[in-house]
Amino acid sequence: MAVVITQLFNGISLGSILLLIALGLAITFGLMNVINMAHGEFIMAGAYTTYVVQQAFSHYVPAALFNYYYIVAIPLSFLIGALLGFVLEKTLIRFLYHRPLDSLLATWGVSLILQQVARSIFGAPNVAVTAPAWLDSGLTIAGAVLPYKRLFIIALVTICMVTLYLYLDKTAAGRKMRAVTMNRSMASSLGVSTKKVDATAFAIGSGLAGIAGCALTVLGPIGSTIGTYYIVDAFMIVILGGIGSLIGTVFGALSVGMLGTVAEFWSGASMAKVIVFVAIIAFLQFKPAGLLSARTRSLE
């Protein structure tokens, strides 16, 4: 029983991390048809922001308050990621809308530049972030130990999902974003500033990647290439879930997380990757549009 609970929890935990990374891609790829290979570097920016906040707390804040640095790091990671995304959209991405091959090459170059900038500032070796004391230990259920760190990440992803849903469904800016996704030309003709919507969407997606980077710091060391470990999986989840469908992205992330965990338990990490890729390729042969494809005129 303990093994089943552990594997189920590990699958949900991995799926939640991949979901937080893939959400930003689902927004930008579905809305603007831009393949952003620099998305992983927004994860890196969030991770290094957390590291900088930790160092600031350890040097300039009383020791009694050190464990609260992570609470400060989460919104700062979002802001830094969103700011980088906003600047990138204004200076480069806005000229590459609906040009996926050009955007792939351009953002890949940006990715290499940002990695080198990170190495110049923080050095090539990985750096460690000390998790807050309140994330140590874990919850024991039927003999299975569920680490507080991963439980916190699952809760953080849930909060981000609910907040994003409320933003898209309950605010005027969110409804404009959905309108542009469904029919860009019609939304523009009705007075919606599509350029403003694009910039906002790209910033939000980049900010979510920053939060993902912040979450990854409690699981292990971070470095300039931390985003490259997850970017392929994130694109895979977006395509599996259905381009333009956030709900599909949720199911895609959980499916990949569960399948990857079970496959790794039985066959090892390397073979698990192969099994996951083969399963997704086979599924897309029968349903090329993904799990829950968005029905919009622009995507048609």
Side-chain angles (χ1 to χ4, degrees), residues 20 25 49 61 79 103 113 115 133-134 156 170 213 228 235 237 246 249 251 272:
L20 194 56
L25 283 177
T49 298
V61 176
L79 291 175
S103 65
I113 293 171
Q115 287 184 25
W134 45 271
L156 179 62
K170 303 299 182 182
T228 59
F235 273 111
I237 288 168
L246 294 182
T249 303
F251 284 111

Side-chain angles (χ1 to χ4, degrees), residues 97-276:
Y97 291 149
H98 305 289
R99 294 164 57 188
L101 293 181
D102 293 340
S103 65
L104 187 152
L105 290 174
T107 54
W108 181 59
V110 172
S111 169
L112 297 178
I113 293 171
L114 292 177
Q115 287 184 25
Q116 188 56 48
V117 170
R119 293 190 192 99
S120 301
I121 297 174
F122 299 100
N126 290 352
V127 296
V129 176
T130 303
W134 45 271
L135 287 180
D136 293 337
S137 189
L139 179 67
T140 302
I141 299 178
V145 179
L146 312 182
Y148 287 143
K149 294 177 182 178
R150 292 187 177 270
L151 286 171
F152 178 80
I153 291 175
I154 293 174
L156 179 62
V157 173
T158 304
I159 293 172
C160 290
M161 275 297 302
V162 172
T163 303
L164 182 61
Y165 167 77
L166 293 175
Y167 174 79
L168 293 175
D169 195 62
K170 303 299 182 182
T171 67
R175 287 192 289 268
K176 289 178 181 178
M177 192 179 299
R178 291 170 59 193
V180 173
T181 302
M182 293 178 181
N183 194 322
R184 176 179 291 269
S185 58
M186 180 61 74
S188 178
S189 66
L190 292 175
V192 176
S193 175
T194 56
K195 290 184 178 180
K196 183 178 180 180
V197 170
D198 290 335
T200 303
F202 201 87
I204 291 174
S206 303
L208 290 172
I211 295 179
C214 180
L216 289 173
T217 58
V218 302
L219 300 179
I222 60 171
S224 58
T225 59
I226 185 173
T228 59
Y229 299 137
Y230 297 95
I231 189 67
V232 175
D233 290 337
F235 273 111
M236 181 172 60
I237 288 168
V238 172
I239 296 172
L240 174 64
I243 297 174
S245 173
L246 294 182
I247 301 299
T249 303
V250 174
F251 284 111
L254 293 178
S255 300
V256 170
M258 293 299 299
L259 179 59
T261 301
V262 173
E264 185 174 347
F265 178 75
W266 290 106
S267 61
S270 299
M271 185 56 65
K273 282 281 189 183
V274 176
I275 293 173
V276 171

